[in-house]
Amino acid sequence: MALRQPLLHDLTVTLAAPTVCLAGTDGQIRAVGVQGVLRGDVRVLSEAVVTVGGEEPEPVAHAADGAGAEHAVGLLRGLGDSGPDPTVWLRRDRRVRADGVDETFALVNRSGRAVDTEVVLRVAADLAPVETFRAGRPTTAAVAEPTADGVRWSGGDVTVTLAAPGAEPDAGGRLRWPVHVPARSTTTLRTSLSVTDPGAVVGPAALRLARPDVHAYDPRLARLLHRALDDLDALLLTESGHPDDPFAAAGAPWFSTLFGRDSLWTATLLLPVDVRLAAGTLRTLARSQGTRDDPATGEQPGKIMHERRRAAAEYAGMSLPALYYGTIDATPLWICLLRDARRHGLPDAEVRALLPHLHAALGWIRDSSDRDGDGFAEYFDDSGRGLANQGWKDSGDAVRFADGSVAEGPVALCEVQGYVHEALRAGAELLEAFDDGDPAPWRARAAALESLFRARFWVDGVDGGAFPALALDGAKTPVDSLTSNIGHLLGTGLLSPQEENAIGGRLLEPDMASGFGLRTMSARDGGYSPLSYHCGSVWPHDTAVVVRGLLRSGQAGRAAALGVALLDTADGFDSRLPELLAGFGADEVGTPVPYPASCRPQAWAAAAAAGLLTALLGLYVDVPGGVLRLAPPSPSPVGALRVRGLAVAGGTLDVDLDRDGRVTHVAAPAGMRVELG
């Protein structure tokens, strides 16, 4: 039987990075698929199934208590009174810590007589690396060593201890509690899982993001933002030895580590909420900026990395080193974030400290991004063992022509040219602001790219309209599919206002805008499938990036119209936006359809909530220029909106909008000039 990646959509996910717990809605952790407790890249508990009197509780309720806690209730109808009403049940409460998991098992007896029974918790750990069970490969249980009050497992650098006070461990991996529960009373049992892992490359962060107070006539906005910030707090990490530089792990469970592109976009979308995450992300990535040419890892001088793991990993035919640089876009995105963070109030001293890394990143664009000298940034996997595609759509079949055929590299993606163009101008702006080099060559390079792009990338669609191709393939043939990638060009300066308006209108047509967000590929294209990872699915962060571009290009109404679709999407996922969802349209299904292997929470999907709030306010911030602009869409898609405590310029911004989108109240930090419209 072929190996299959385990599905995630029907599991509960609780976390406090770098620890993640995946369980059933009955609270049980079963020895199947991806269920278990993961810390970093290692599964430290692979089974935790409770029985009472030899039977599993019958599940009747489950609820999340924030990002890091959950509880489940199950009936025990074989115990207690004999009538039709259940009188004995078990409540299981789980709280995830950065270094483990605490659980309580409350056996509740509301019957008229005492209950004498046995509670048994069957546990196991396989200490398997994440890429093993992600690929569906079988694992082997580690040997459990009994301790004074529980069990312990160890392997490599990892030691896992499960304390179960009062339990009697047996050789079969079971913890047994004989219990006596008097009539109308409760007996509570506890376990505590703790992990020590001196070889971990990431650890928890102390930062907790600022929490603006948001109220709207549509209450879903506040629910989405609250859940998103809760999840983002639970995803924050630091590198070992650098506790003051937080960044967002990409997502749970597959990507609970540093990813250059993901962490950069997350910090970018969160700038109006908390600039401190951008500062930590910029510094963390700067520390591993490339210094040499290494085809095995993709490292090049000035290049920003793609992914950091505790060890090299093999997955899906790839062999990736522990520190991997296979990304074409993280470097320009780092430059853009540095400029944007300064605009949102990152102190000049912190920006100045990063200027040497800015020079190195600009040097990478000039010297290494254009491998064939045609003026465009392109990628190719020289190692033969890494990612074939190195943009954000990095699956092997993501770059397809309109007829569905797969393009061959080297590939020059359209949105990467936009990122590079903006990075060149952003870098020039910073060099000029700090008098740290000549900005003219970088602006000239951006102008040249603009002309080249207009001449080579535009194609005619089947409906007669023109739009930018997804990419140029290795033969410099335009890859003529219509994709969400072109929305990333908006606001980068690469397009004229007329071109941006045309793209904005095209992306909101029904073949692209599904009603639950933006499809990654037009439903009219030959490669489209709603359950394709990158060729027809909907990624909330992708939608948020395009919403941001629409706003930056002066299309506030379209930005809001596209963005509020995320509220309907969130309704289908308990207000927790997933990494991606299937591309079925709201005209096809009554509720959004999960992509079954999607991570959740995913950092940049959660950050999409902040991107939506920014669009609803029409917010633009330039702290060095002393300007704060509000240009909300009219009418407001969420009705009257009240925001308190947005972090700006070392102070806070308060805004009230009425249902027509008119600003009725503003309180801005001292020294900031507010412009409306």
Side-chain angles (χ1 to χ4, degrees):
M1 181 176 174
L3 298 178
R4 294 177 178 172
Q5 180 176 344
L7 305 183
L8 302 172
H9 66 286
D10 57 350
L11 300 181
T12 70
V13 184
T14 48
L15 71 158
T19 300
V20 180
C21 179
L22 297 105
T25 54
D26 58 357
Q28 306 280 38
I29 298 174
R30 304 182 188 278
V32 294
V34 72
Q35 292 190 39
V37 176
L38 287 66
R39 192 175 192 276
D41 289 340
V42 179
R43 183 159 58 185
V44 296
L45 187 71
S46 54
E47 186 176 22
V49 174
V50 68
T51 58
V52 181
E55 296 185 1
E56 290 191 31
E58 298 176 81
V60 293
H62 172 270
D65 303 313
E70 62 181 332
H71 67 265
V73 177
L75 304 180
L76 296 162
R77 292 191 289 171
L79 301 174
D81 294 338
S82 58
D85 294 335
T87 56
V88 180
W89 58 89
L90 184 76
R91 173 171 170 140
R92 183 175 188 172
D93 284 84
R94 177 181 291 130
R95 179 166 294 278
V96 180
R97 311 185 315 270
D99 63 347
V101 180
D102 295 322
E103 290 202 70
T104 61
F105 303 87
L107 186 57
V108 181
N109 176 17
R110 299 308 301 167
S111 72
R113 61 179 184 269
V115 169
D116 291 285
T117 189
E118 183 180 55
V119 177
V120 177
L121 181 65
R122 187 174 71 250
V123 294
D126 55 16
L127 304 183
V130 65
E131 65 270 11
T132 298
F133 51 88
R134 183 185 179 191
R137 295 195 292 268
T139 64
T140 302
V143 176
E145 308 167 33
T147 66
D149 64 350
V151 294
R152 177 174 58 234
W153 303 270
S154 59
D157 290 329
V158 181
T159 300
V160 185
T161 303
L162 180 64
E168 301 171 1
D170 68 18
R174 289 178 290 268
L175 300 165
R176 301 178 178 274
W177 290 269
V179 294
H180 172 79
V181 190
R184 298 181 178 85
S185 64
T186 300
T187 294
T188 299
L189 311 173
R190 291 179 172 82
T191 65
S192 181
L193 182 84
S194 297
V195 184
T196 57
D197 182 10
V201 296
V202 294
L207 174 68
R208 291 298 173 261
L209 298 169
R211 295 293 181 104
D213 184 31
V214 175
H215 295 275
Y217 181 79
D218 187 337
R220 299 177 301 170
L221 176 64
R223 286 200 301 268
L224 173 60
L225 188 65
H226 178 81
R227 184 65 183 267
L229 293 175
D230 199 30
D231 281 339
L232 284 161
D233 275 344
L235 284 165
L236 296 185
L237 289 172
T238 59
E239 285 187 310
S240 298
H242 299 280
D244 297 327
D245 288 340
F247 61 88
W254 311 131
F255 311 123
S256 294
T257 188
L258 175 64
F259 275 73
R261 176 192 309 117
D262 298 58
S263 298
L264 287 163
W265 269 125
T266 300
T268 298
L269 292 169
L270 281 169
L271 281 171
V273 172
D274 202 323
V275 75
R276 294 175 296 172
L277 182 60
T281 302
L282 288 163
R283 287 193 291 265
T284 298
L285 292 171
R287 278 194 296 273
S288 59
Q289 189 173 29
T291 58
R292 62 194 179 104
D293 285 295
D294 184 355
T297 65
E299 181 179 358
Q300 294 171 321
K303 193 176 187 182
I304 298 297
M305 53 79 73
H306 172 60
E307 175 180 359
R308 181 187 292 280
R309 298 282 188 179
R310 66 184 293 133
E314 294 188 4
Y315 174 74
M318 297 180 292
S319 179
L320 301 183
L323 181 57
Y324 181 51
Y325 288 81
T327 169
I328 188 65
D329 50 15
T331 308
L333 290 173
W334 186 94
I335 297 172
C336 292
L337 177 58
L338 182 62
R339 187 272 317 273
D340 291 341
R342 180 173 182 260
R343 286 183 177 178
H344 278 263
L346 184 65
D348 278 358
E350 297 185 43
V351 178
R352 189 181 298 277
L354 291 167
L355 292 182
H357 299 282
L358 170 63
H359 282 283
L362 288 169
W364 177 82
I365 291 176
R366 180 192 60 216
D367 301 333
S368 302
S369 68
D370 180 8
R371 56 187 297 136
D372 59 10
D374 69 340
F376 298 117
E378 57 261 317
Y379 58 82
F380 186 79
D381 175 34
D382 293 297
S383 73
R385 300 183 301 275
L387 289 166
N389 283 315
Q390 297 182 4
W392 86 260
K393 295 179 180 177
D394 57 5
S395 54
D397 63 351
V399 183
R400 291 175 175 263
F401 288 87
D403 64 6
S405 58
V406 177
E408 296 185 4
V411 172
L413 291 169
C414 68
E415 78 274 16
V416 172
Q417 316 317 312
Y419 301 159
V420 168
H421 183 271
E422 183 174 0
L424 292 168
R425 292 173 39 160
E429 177 182 320
L430 290 167
L431 295 180
E432 191 169 60
F434 288 90
D435 192 21
D436 193 47
D438 185 3
W442 306 111
R443 290 188 173 124
R445 193 176 187 92
L449 177 57
E450 186 176 341
S451 299
L452 280 171
F453 186 88
R454 188 165 288 113
R456 298 296 305 278
F457 264 83
W458 284 81
V459 295
D460 291 324
V462 293
D463 58 359
F467 57 85
L470 166 59
L472 303 181
D473 71 359
K476 300 303 173 186
T477 302
V479 181
D480 58 347
S481 52
L482 175 59
T483 64
S484 62
N485 300 56
I486 65 174
H488 291 226
L489 296 167
L490 299 171
T492 65
L494 188 62
L495 305 175
S496 70
Q498 294 78 13
E499 291 166 340
E500 289 183 319
N501 185 65
I503 288 174
R506 184 64 187 86
L507 289 177
L508 266 69
E509 292 186 15
D511 60 317
M512 290 299 298
S514 71
F516 298 120
L518 190 65
R519 290 189 177 100
T520 45
M521 178 175 284
S522 167
R524 300 178 187 176
D525 277 6
Y528 169 78
S529 170
L531 284 168
S532 166
Y533 194 56
H534 285 131
C535 299
S537 57
V538 170
W539 290 62
H541 96 276
D542 184 34
T543 297
V545 170
V546 176
V547 166
R548 176 176 180 265
L550 287 165
L551 183 65
R552 293 201 301 165
S553 60
Q555 303 178 68
R558 287 170 173 166
L562 180 60
V564 293
L566 295 176
L567 297 177
D568 292 327
T569 302
D571 279 347
F573 296 98
D574 195 24
S575 296
R576 174 183 267 179
L577 291 172
E579 174 191 14
L580 71 155
L581 55 141
F584 296 104
D587 58 342
E588 301 174 89
V589 292
T591 187
V593 176
Y595 181 87
S598 175
C599 292
R600 58 178 210 291
Q602 186 86 350
W604 58 11
L612 174 57
L613 178 62
T614 302
L616 292 170
L617 293 174
L619 177 64
Y620 169 82
V621 177
D622 181 3
V623 172
V627 175
L628 189 154
R629 185 176 304 123
L630 293 164
S634 180
S636 169
V638 294
L641 176 60
R642 178 179 183 270
V643 180
R644 296 290 182 270
L646 275 179
V648 175
T652 57
L653 169 67
D654 300 338
V655 182
D656 289 350
L657 306 180
D658 66 16
R659 64 182 182 180
D660 294 321
R662 291 189 295 258
V663 178
T664 58
H665 170 76
V666 181
M672 295 294 293
R673 183 179 75 257
V674 177
E675 298 179 355
L676 301 182

